[in-house]
Amino acid sequence: MTVTRRTLMGVAGAAAMLALAPSVQANDYPEKRVTIIVPYSAGGATDVLARKVAEGLSEELDETVTVENRPGAGATLGTTQAAKARPDGYTLFMGQVSSHGIAPAVYKNLQYEPLEDFEPIMHLITIPNVMVVNKESPYESVEGFLEGAQSETMRFGSSGTGSSIHLSGEMFKARTGVDMTHVPYKGSGEAVPALLSGDVDVMFDNLPSAMPHIQSGDLRPLAVTSLERSEQLPDVPTLDETGIEDLKDFSAQSWFGLLAPAGTDEEVVETLSASLGKVVSSEDFAEFADTRGATIVGSNPAEFTDFIETELDNWKTVVDEAGVTVE
């Protein structure tokens, strides 16, 4: 057996947590309301997914599961609070590419360890981001947007510094060399209205939160950030397909998964994983994912842990190339 730094820290952290926490057995679980912390304001993709998962888990666990929004500091505030929560199975966390992929590479003084402080339960879905402007924008294509950016400084909104929405914009900026000013908000629920009102010029939003506004005609999609087109937007090219050399192989996707604080009883984690498996395999969840352009993953805890380790390495490379740091 290879003993890694993560193993040692995880064992030590779990032992300390268990010493403080009351024993929670799977047979007793759950006996009261379960809360899922979302590190963004209500209305964004993370919040919408968390509420859908809470709805399904409530039925599977026969107990109320609610969502609690704790936005701020580019999602690191709510993530830190979740990391420090009592590991009794009653506080869970809706993790995403920002909290467990990008933030550890961006923030120098992060107050949590993405793996040592959490028990991964299930990688739920993966979704592309979409480059969108509002319906009053003069830009009909990525090429047109780049031409416009030659004569004016563009403002790109995001759900917070260190989010995939922010980093997608930074990647676009670094690749093309355009002058864009980042305007962070506390979540897509605030950033999308800013785009609709013209306070910012463009966003690289998560597809689920942008989709209703695209369907209503209020937002105009210019390209998706995945290497393959979205089935929900079959006529919208990928950035790679624009033919712009600087955007060749451009790929930045978002993902979401449920985690618990480190030290949560293993059987409780297994109970939650099994219940989530039923939720994500339901026709109702499949329809939910399909309408938002999401791909369902549904991994087990070990697979999710491996995935996070890979993501941490991948995004560190992207962040280093883009030169993004936050104090």
Side-chain angles (χ1 to χ4, degrees):
M1 174 183 178
T2 300
V3 180
T4 64
R5 176 173 173 271
R6 177 179 186 272
T7 303
L8 291 172
M9 292 185 68
V11 170
M17 288 295 189
L18 287 172
L20 295 172
S23 175
V24 178
Q25 301 299 321
N27 290 340
D28 303 326
Y29 179 82
E31 292 184 313
K32 60 181 181 180
R33 184 183 69 178
V34 176
T35 298
I36 300 176
I37 291 178
V38 169
Y40 294 109
S41 54
T46 311
D47 177 71
V48 171
L49 172 64
R51 292 179 189 279
K52 189 63 181 177
V53 169
E55 176 186 315
L57 275 182
S58 294
E59 293 182 8
E60 292 299 330
L61 297 173
D62 195 25
E63 185 59 74
T64 301
V65 180
T66 60
V67 170
E68 192 169 308
N69 300 91
R70 297 184 185 179
T76 63
L77 180 63
T79 309
T80 300
Q81 292 173 336
K84 299 182 184 305
R86 184 185 294 273
D88 56 7
Y90 291 100
T91 300
L92 306 176
F93 179 67
M94 185 55 71
Q96 7 65 44
V97 61
S98 298
S99 65
H100 284 73
I102 298 171
V106 171
Y107 288 89
K108 292 183 177 179
N109 299 305
L110 204 62
Q111 299 299 305
Y112 67 90
E113 293 289 341
L115 283 174
E116 286 83 352
D117 291 342
F118 288 92
E119 300 285 352
I121 300 173
M122 178 174 285
H123 178 186
L124 295 163
I125 61 171
T126 297
I127 58 172
N129 290 346
V130 58
M131 182 180 180
V132 283
V133 296
N134 75 31
K135 64 181 181 182
E136 305 298 335
S137 171
Y139 308 118
E140 302 279 351
S141 67
V142 177
E143 292 88 340
F145 180 86
L146 289 174
E147 289 177 8
Q150 300 302 314
S151 57
E152 64 174 311
T153 300
M154 299 293 185
R155 297 156 297 171
F156 72 102
S158 83
S159 54
T161 300
S163 65
S164 73
I165 299 171
H166 170 213
L167 262 293
S168 294
E170 291 289 355
M171 285 177 64
F172 184 87
K173 180 179 174 180
R175 290 278 196 97
T176 61
V178 298
D179 191 7
M180 297 200 304
T181 300
H182 176 223
V183 183
Y185 294 87
K186 291 184 177 180
S188 287
E190 295 181 16
V192 171
L195 179 61
L196 291 168
S197 65
D199 289 340
V200 293
D201 301 297
V202 65
M203 273 187 68
F204 296 77
D205 197 19
N206 298 148
L207 186 55
S209 61
M211 199 64 186
H213 304 288
I214 293 173
Q215 292 171 328
S216 69
D218 291 327
L219 290 182
R220 182 184 305 141
L222 302 185
V224 293
T225 63
S226 52
L227 287 174
E228 297 182 354
R229 293 193 182 198
S230 166
E231 293 183 3
Q232 279 63 43
L233 298 172
D235 298 327
V236 178
T238 67
L239 285 172
D240 176 68
E241 288 178 328
T242 60
I244 300 170
E245 184 62 26
D246 292 334
L247 298 176
K248 184 175 176 55
D249 297 327
F250 190 107
S251 177
Q253 297 196 74
S254 294
W255 57 264
F256 304 82
L258 200 69
L259 303 98
T264 301
D265 185 274
E266 184 177 344
E267 291 188 11
V268 170
V269 171
E270 291 176 356
T271 296
L272 287 166
S273 179
S275 298
L276 277 172
K278 295 177 181 177
V279 172
V280 301
S281 61
S282 68
E283 291 185 9
D284 181 50
F285 193 85
E287 182 178 352
F288 169 85
D290 185 58
T291 57
R292 289 162 176 79
T295 299
I296 298 173
V297 181
S299 68
N300 63 38
E303 291 169 337
F304 191 20
T305 300
D306 291 342
F307 174 78
I308 292 173
E309 289 178 339
T310 301
E311 279 288 280
L312 290 170
D313 290 340
N314 290 343
W315 280 104
K316 185 177 187 313
T317 300
V318 172
V319 168
D320 287 346
E321 289 179 353
V324 178
T325 59
V326 179
E327 297 294 339

